[in-house]
Amino acid sequence: MPKSGFIASSHAKHAVACIAASLAGRAPPAATFFNACYTHFGADYGISIVGVFRAGPNGFAEVEGSGGVSPRNAALTAERRKEHRQLEALYADGWYDSITDEMFG
């Protein structure tokens, strides 16, 4: 499983859901963990790796087709590459603002 703030947050939310279910006399929900790792290489240039993880016969594994890696530059036209990298940078900033707000209010 990735080592990221996003997946740690996903684990924490699942733990709380299990505690709430237990207190309500319900079975705990199935474990599904979400991940997105963002990297900034400049103010308007970002990349990401995303995925969903679930328990399987050999432990936790990424759900097939659930995510992926930012496309390589060769896979995008020059115009689309600039737009895509700018969006990835915006997503990274949005994620950071969101998780910081969740943790500290």
Side-chain angles (χ1 to χ4, degrees):
M1 200 155 315
K3 277 93 175 140
S4 71
F6 200 118
I7 201 100
S9 174
S10 187
H11 275 82
K13 289 172 184 170
H14 183 259
V16 170
C18 288
I19 292 166
S22 177
L23 291 172
R26 297 188 315 263
T32 300
F33 301 113
F34 304 94
N35 184 57
C37 293
Y38 295 102
T39 301
H40 264 281
F41 288 102
D44 292 329
Y45 194 101
I47 62 171
S48 66
I49 301 172
V50 299
V52 176
F53 296 82
R54 289 196 180 118
N58 298 317
F60 281 91
E62 187 171 1
V63 174
E64 188 175 337
S66 68
V69 178
S70 295
R72 299 180 78 101
N73 285 342
L76 301 168
T77 64
E79 182 179 315
R80 181 68 179 119
R81 178 172 44 247
K82 181 178 179 182
E83 177 186 344
H84 190 83
R85 299 299 177 223
Q86 287 173 333
L87 286 172
E88 295 267 33
L90 286 172
Y91 299 154
D93 294 342
W95 172 83
Y96 179 80
D97 291 344
S98 176
I99 198 161
T100 301
D101 189 54
E102 282 182 9
M103 289 187 294
F104 304 111

